[in-house]
Amino acid sequence: MTYFILTRSGKVISTSSVQHVTQEDVRNDDTKAKVDRFNEEVRAKLNEEEHMIPVPDGENTLDDTTQNLRLLAQLADQDRNTVQGNGDSDEVRKSYATNVEDALKGNEDEFDQLDSLIGATVQFDKPEGVAYGKVTKRATDDKGAGIGTANKNPLLDTREFEIQMDDGTFEKYQANVIAENIYAQTDDEGRETLLLEEIYGHRTDGNAIPISRGYTLNRNGEQRKKVTTAGWHIKVRWTDGSTDELPLSVVKESNPIELAEYAVVAGVTEEPAFAWWVPHVLRTRNRIIKKAHVIKKAAKYWRTKNKFGIELPHSVEEALALDKKNGNTFWRDALKKEMGNVRIAFHPEERYSAEDVRKRKAKHLIAFTEIKCHVVFDVKMDFTRKARFVAGGHLTDAPACMTYSSVVSRDSVRLAFMIAALNGLEVSATDVGNAYLNAECREKVWFQAGLECGEEDEGKVMIITRALYGLKSSGAAWRAMFSDFIINQLGFSSTIVDQDVYRRKSFYKDENGVTVPYYELLLVYVDDVLLVSKSPNDVMDKIGKTFRLKEGYGKPTTYLGAEVFQHRDTNNRPSWALGSGKYVKNVVTQVKAMLNEDGESLKPYTKKERSHLGPIHPDYHPELESSDLLGDDLHSRYQQIIGMLRWAVELGRIDIQVDVAIMSQYLAAPRIGHLEAVYGIVRYLDQYPDRRLVMSAIPIQYPDDVENGFNHNADWKDFYGEMVEEDPAGMPVPLGEAVKIRTYLDADHAGNVVTRRSHTGILIFVNNSLIVQYSKKQNTVESATFGAEMVAMRVARDLTVALRIKLKMFGVPIDGPADFFC
């Protein structure tokens, strides 16, 4: 392939070896300066008279940029629409193959084989009511040729089809009208859902088993009910008015509770086809209903009457009443601010009322699901009022492919701070305001507006068009939209190993004026953005121009609940530290408040416990606990406290990780002694609330006795052969300072004296930064300490390999193999 190149002298040359300037090159100041100089010289040359192309009077001229863009678009269209042929119009039409039916010269059988609409059932809204019809065949003219022209876009398809209506008459409709009616009746995946309205009867055939033969005998001579559904057919009526007679097994699978209730009313529960499963389904139904009432009664939000001494409303009417009672407008102002932000997420349907839509009179909304929306009220720590408008996403059935949304991992966040300290990079953070509302809604949903939408819109049908908080698909919609912006607008690329960490090659000049390449890292946790770069303001400004940032951007003080501190190590080298003091103190305060409600408090350390001021005394074995099981309220409290302690571990409190992991094994059935042990962990946190995890980039230096303990000259080829570490696909060229990995692991053999299962603990450092922490019960029972240690070694090896791959995909050089201490 030959390229035509415009030189700086204004001449055009041809060559087959070309390397274009990339976005990455332009971020290098030296390369950008060369490009700018080239453009200036070419522009100057092209402005000379000898390069001017005379334009006749009266013709429009275009500037260089517009002309180039138009030329590129024309070339792209020519390339995309190229058709091989002899110039004959028939040849061109066959090449495009957009109307194959016409080549069949009106053969009816062949038409029917090609048309995907044949056999489709269509619903039409007519003045006299809903009518149904089935597409039978393609309509033809007097010569037998098909009427209309096919189009890949069904709504532009003008072919006509004959439809047999449910009253036996035939009507003709164009394909675009048929397609429009079909799409209006389907969900996002093209499926039409028939909802059961009622079961109105049944019948049996000769295969039904009579009651006299409804049992079998086991080996002990005991009767067992036969498991059968044979011979029974259930008559059902759907919400669209149609009826069906379906096998009992099908209805039992799709609507077991409705069928069980019908069996009771129809008096057939003793029949073998029902006797073996109906009692179980009815008991399950009763438990579900009872559990739902308990959950509703115990829901934390609805039980909360006050926060920070301020009364919380639970409805818009109650919020306005509180304002009136208190003589202020705090809740009204919070509600006005929230609704002003979310108002772009929905628009009113002016033509139909909510009742019309429920009766399926609005054809274009037939496939839409009605949901409920409500406002959640809260009080911030600075006592300002907050309102959040939330959609009832639990009322929709969105597929998993629409709802999954990943977030950046804890390990990646720690690595980012360590890399910043390692290479002298700046860290900047920001929070995107009302992030979800920037993305389009992936679901077909509507709601009836309440008082929060304003008096003029109250009661109207509101169509949701943006990813509103509460919808199952909103998180995934926002993530996909923001990821596309990061990749296509900011020029980053995903690191793949962590889909929410993005990498971009950039350049800076050191103190000697030398251009140094490095990688910028951008991390995303839903709407929280963390950037590691030499010049973070440029990227943050671009994000701020497209999205609303809550409080601008700058050096982080908190991230994902952890406090972030700037720190200087022993070499006076700047680094970062992650703390959990505020969160831990809040946990202690909440637990003390729980105990205060019971008239109790955190117990002081006993004389025995003072000898070991850890979270739990090493002599305590929770598996031997024989105290009474906790009641429902204390069981819920146990789970709540364990959840809070787990997050404290995530924030860096590794000193309680093993104890929390052990006590988490009893979440299903905790006892009074287990709760007391958990109170002991909280008491330990009350004694030592402030701990920081420093992301130090200081290189690892072992003492001589440790360094000499490694056998650097060992030859393992006889065991493993010529082994070479495999690099991940798409790995970038490593840039910046190299890092060293060390892994510590241990296992307490048969730590659980009942099951004899061991517990594994692993810590992995990159330089002097703790990146990975692991504490978990082993899946197997090992007969010796050696076996437990080997199980821990295998897990540690896997975690270390995964960390090495992550570092490589982040573009970080690794200094030699990882060192293991066990």
Side-chain angles (χ1 to χ4, degrees):
M1 179 180 291
T2 300
Y3 295 86
F4 292 94
I5 307 299
L6 178 64
T7 64
R8 64 179 69 242
S9 63
K11 295 182 179 181
V12 177
I13 62 173
S14 63
T15 179
S16 58
S17 178
V18 175
Q19 184 175 353
H20 68 282
V21 179
T22 64
Q23 288 186 355
E24 182 179 296
D25 294 331
V26 175
R27 287 194 289 273
N28 185 331
D29 293 338
D30 294 337
T31 305
K32 187 175 184 300
K34 293 179 182 179
V35 172
D36 292 339
R37 286 196 301 271
F38 174 82
N39 289 335
E40 291 175 3
E41 293 180 20
V42 170
R43 193 175 295 111
K45 279 291 182 181
L46 294 179
N47 282 334
E48 296 178 2
E49 292 185 1
E50 60 185 81
H51 291 97
M52 292 289 187
I53 301 176
V55 180
D57 293 338
E59 291 190 11
N60 294 326
T61 60
L62 300 172
D63 58 38
D64 293 343
T65 303
T66 306
Q67 184 67 41
N68 290 339
L69 290 174
R70 178 168 294 180
L71 178 59
L72 287 173
Q74 292 172 352
L75 291 173
D77 289 339
Q78 290 174 7
D79 181 66
R80 185 164 54 247
N81 297 328
T82 300
V83 177
Q84 301 297 328
N86 56 14
D88 182 82
S89 60
D90 290 336
E91 288 290 333
V92 174
R93 202 166 84 181
K94 289 178 181 177
S95 298
Y96 279 111
T98 58
N99 201 5
V100 181
E101 298 94 325
D102 292 348
L104 300 176
K105 304 185 185 303
N107 184 294
E108 185 174 310
D109 293 337
E110 291 175 310
F111 277 139
D112 294 347
Q113 291 171 8
L114 286 171
D115 288 320
S116 58
L117 291 176
I118 301 297
T121 300
V122 189
Q123 174 183 312
F124 296 94
D125 289 326
K126 295 190 174 184
E128 60 273 15
V130 177
Y132 294 87
K134 179 171 287 187
V135 181
T136 57
K137 62 180 181 178
R138 174 81 177 274
T140 58
D141 56 21
D142 296 337
K143 298 180 179 179
I147 299 176
T149 305
N151 194 292
K152 291 181 179 179
N153 184 342
L155 300 183
L156 300 178
D157 194 332
T158 59
R159 292 173 298 169
E160 287 191 5
F161 293 85
E162 290 188 8
I163 297 180
Q164 183 177 6
M165 307 304 293
D166 49 9
D167 59 2
T169 60
F170 285 86
E171 297 182 11
K172 289 184 179 181
Y173 285 93
Q174 284 189 346
N176 52 7
V177 177
I178 297 172
E180 183 179 353
N181 280 274
I182 290 176
Y183 292 159
Q185 301 153 26
T186 59
D187 60 16
D188 292 330
E189 295 184 345
R191 296 190 297 250
E192 181 178 358
T193 304
L194 290 177
L195 300 178
L196 180 70
E197 183 175 288
E198 66 170 337
I199 299 174
Y200 68 91
H202 66 271
R203 74 173 180 87
T204 59
D205 57 29
N207 296 319
I209 298 176
I211 296 178
S212 60
R213 293 193 293 111
Y215 294 88
T216 60
L217 296 178
N218 62 13
R219 295 179 180 179
N220 298 325
E222 298 173 339
Q223 286 188 338
R224 290 287 183 267
K225 295 175 182 177
K226 283 187 177 180
V227 177
T228 177
T229 57
W232 285 78
H233 302 270
I234 308 301
K235 299 178 181 181
V236 299
R237 180 177 289 108
W238 307 107
T239 52
D240 64 357
S242 62
T243 60
D244 271 317
E245 185 176 288
L246 302 173
L248 186 151
S249 59
V250 174
V251 182
K252 175 184 174 295
E253 183 71 23
S254 61
N255 299 83
I257 294 178
E258 291 86 346
L259 183 56
E261 292 173 342
Y262 168 79
V264 173
V265 174
V268 295
T269 54
E270 298 301 320
E271 295 288 343
F274 296 90
W276 64 275
W277 63 271
V278 166
H280 171 72
V281 168
L282 293 178
R283 284 196 301 270
T284 303
R285 176 202 62 178
N286 295 336
R287 284 200 300 269
I288 292 172
I289 293 173
K290 182 179 179 181
K291 188 67 175 177
H293 286 309
V294 171
I295 292 173
K296 183 176 180 181
K297 182 179 179 181
K300 182 180 178 182
Y301 171 70
W302 296 107
R303 285 191 293 111
T304 304
K305 296 294 184 182
N306 296 276
K307 187 172 182 181
F308 303 131
I310 298 173
E311 187 175 356
L312 281 177
H314 297 107
S315 67
V316 175
E317 292 78 8
E318 190 177 342
L320 299 179
L322 282 176
D323 277 351
K324 186 176 181 180
K325 173 184 174 182
N326 299 326
N328 54 45
T329 61
F330 292 155
W331 291 116
R332 181 185 292 274
D333 294 342
L335 182 63
K336 183 178 179 181
K337 178 182 178 182
E338 173 66 9
M339 297 310 296
N341 290 331
V342 304
R343 192 61 180 81
I344 61 171
F346 47 84
H347 64 82
E349 168 56 59
E350 304 287 358
R351 294 172 295 172
Y352 297 92
S353 66
E355 199 59 35
D356 290 337
V357 177
R358 294 187 186 111
K359 292 181 179 179
R360 304 168 69 87
K361 292 183 179 180
K363 181 173 61 176
H364 62 295
L365 298 179
I366 288 178
F368 281 64
T369 301
E370 180 183 7
I371 63 172
K372 302 293 183 182
C373 294
H374 64 279
V375 181
V376 177
F377 296 94
D378 196 10
V379 179
K380 296 182 179 181
M381 294 188 68
D382 59 358
F383 301 106
T384 58
R385 308 325 192 248
K386 179 180 179 180
R388 172 73 76 184
F389 186 73
V390 181
H394 63 287
L395 299 174
T396 65
D397 188 21
C401 61
M402 291 174 56
T403 59
Y404 174 73
S405 177
S406 59
V407 293
V408 65
S409 70
R410 172 197 65 193
D411 304 344
S412 296
V413 174
R414 293 182 180 178
L415 275 177
F417 281 110
M418 190 280 300
I419 293 171
L422 182 70
N423 296 308
L425 305 178
E426 295 184 28
V427 180
S428 184
T430 189
D431 189 358
V432 180
N434 295 106
Y436 284 7
L437 301 181
N438 291 285
E440 294 184 359
C441 181
R442 293 183 171 185
E443 303 175 58
K444 294 181 178 180
V445 287
W446 68 277
F447 69 96
Q448 186 173 5
L451 180 61
E452 65 275 2
C453 294
E455 295 180 357
E456 67 280 0
D457 287 331
E458 186 177 5
K460 290 184 179 180
V461 173
M462 293 292 181
I463 311 299
I464 297 179
T465 57
R466 297 288 185 95
L468 198 60
Y469 285 91
L471 291 177
K472 294 178 182 177
S473 63
S474 293
W478 157 248
R479 188 203 171 279
M481 183 261 190
F482 195 48
S483 178
D484 180 76
F485 169 80
I486 293 171
I487 293 172
N488 295 318
Q489 301 298 321
L490 300 182
F492 284 78
S493 59
S494 173
T495 57
I496 302 177
V497 290
D498 191 329
Q499 296 182 10
D500 296 279
V501 177
Y502 302 85
R503 178 192 67 242
R504 186 177 79 171
K505 188 176 181 180
S506 193
F507 303 85
Y508 71 93
K509 289 191 176 182
D510 61 14
E511 60 274 9
N512 298 320
V514 178
T515 300
V516 180
Y518 75 102
Y519 292 113
E520 298 172 297
L521 295 177
L522 190 147
L523 296 76
V524 182
Y525 191 103
V526 189
D527 55 0
D528 291 314
V529 180
L530 193 73
L531 177 65
V532 177
S533 172
K534 272 290 185 181
S535 304
N537 293 356
D538 295 339
V539 175
M540 287 298 190
D541 286 339
K542 291 180 180 179
I543 297 176
K545 289 179 181 178
T546 306
F547 305 98
R548 184 180 68 85
L549 306 182
K550 285 185 179 178
E551 298 177 356
Y553 58 85
K555 293 181 179 179
T557 55
T558 60
Y559 192 71
L560 305 183
E563 302 163 77
V564 180
F565 305 93
Q566 288 189 290
H567 176 84
R568 289 193 174 273
D569 55 34
T570 54
N571 296 335
N572 202 32
R573 188 173 183 174
S575 59
W576 296 88
L578 304 177
S580 55
K582 285 185 178 179
Y583 179 80
V584 166
K585 292 174 184 177
N586 185 39
V587 170
V588 173
T589 300
Q590 289 191 51
V591 174
K592 286 183 176 179
M594 295 175 186
L595 289 169
N596 188 48
E597 291 178 0
D598 300 336
E600 300 179 4
S601 61
L602 288 175
K603 297 178 181 178
Y605 283 102
T606 64
K607 184 177 181 179
K608 178 182 179 181
E609 289 171 334
R610 288 196 198 98
S611 63
H612 175 82
L613 297 180
I616 296 179
H617 197 278
D619 294 338
Y620 177 68
H621 288 275
E623 66 273 18
L624 299 177
E625 187 62 59
S626 58
S627 55
D628 293 337
L629 292 171
L630 296 176
D632 290 342
D633 291 341
L634 291 180
H635 188 166
S636 176
R637 177 184 296 182
Y638 184 89
Q639 294 173 331
Q640 183 180 356
I641 296 175
I642 287 292
M644 293 188 292
L645 294 177
R646 280 180 171 177
W647 189 248
V649 172
E650 286 292 311
L651 297 182
R653 290 305 299 258
I654 60 173
D655 49 342
I656 65 171
Q657 181 168 6
V658 173
D659 302 286
V660 173
I662 292 175
M663 300 311 300
S664 296
Q665 299 171 16
Y666 305 96
L667 285 171
R671 297 181 179 273
I672 294 175
H674 296 149
L675 182 59
E676 292 296 332
V678 169
Y679 286 151
I681 300 176
V682 177
R683 179 184 58 192
Y684 170 81
L685 293 177
D686 190 26
Q687 292 282 333
Y688 308 99
D690 293 311
R691 290 287 186 272
R692 296 182 183 181
L693 207 57
V694 178
M695 298 295 104
S696 173
I698 297 177
I700 298 173
Q701 293 181 344
Y702 299 126
D704 292 340
D705 57 338
V706 174
E707 184 65 36
N708 296 333
F710 287 101
N711 187 356
H712 297 286
N713 299 319
D715 187 0
W716 298 98
K717 292 182 181 179
D718 292 341
F719 295 93
Y720 302 108
E722 293 288 347
M723 298 298 294
V724 178
E725 183 177 14
E726 184 178 2
D727 291 330
M731 185 187 84
V733 177
L735 297 176
E737 298 289 335
V739 297
K740 183 74 175 178
I741 301 174
R742 53 178 168 153
T743 301
Y744 296 88
L745 64 119
D746 198 2
D748 64 336
H749 176 245
N752 188 308
V753 298
V754 174
T755 64
R756 307 293 294 172
R757 287 165 70 175
S758 310
H759 201 95
T760 296
I762 300 171
L763 299 176
I764 305 180
F765 289 79
V766 176
N767 280 7
N768 274 290
S769 300
L770 176 61
I771 303 299
V772 179
Q773 59 197 61
Y774 179 94
S775 177
K776 190 175 181 181
K777 180 172 60 177
Q778 294 184 2
N779 294 327
T780 58
V781 177
E782 300 297 329
S783 60
T785 302
F786 174 79
E789 296 281 355
M790 286 302 296
V791 171
M793 177 69 80
R794 179 189 60 79
V795 177
R797 178 208 62 191
D798 292 345
L799 292 174
T800 304
V801 169
L803 179 59
R804 291 179 69 89
I805 292 175
K806 179 174 286 190
L807 285 167
K808 289 180 178 182
M809 293 303 291
F810 283 12
V812 180
I814 302 176
D815 180 15
D819 298 329
F820 276 61
F821 298 84
C822 56

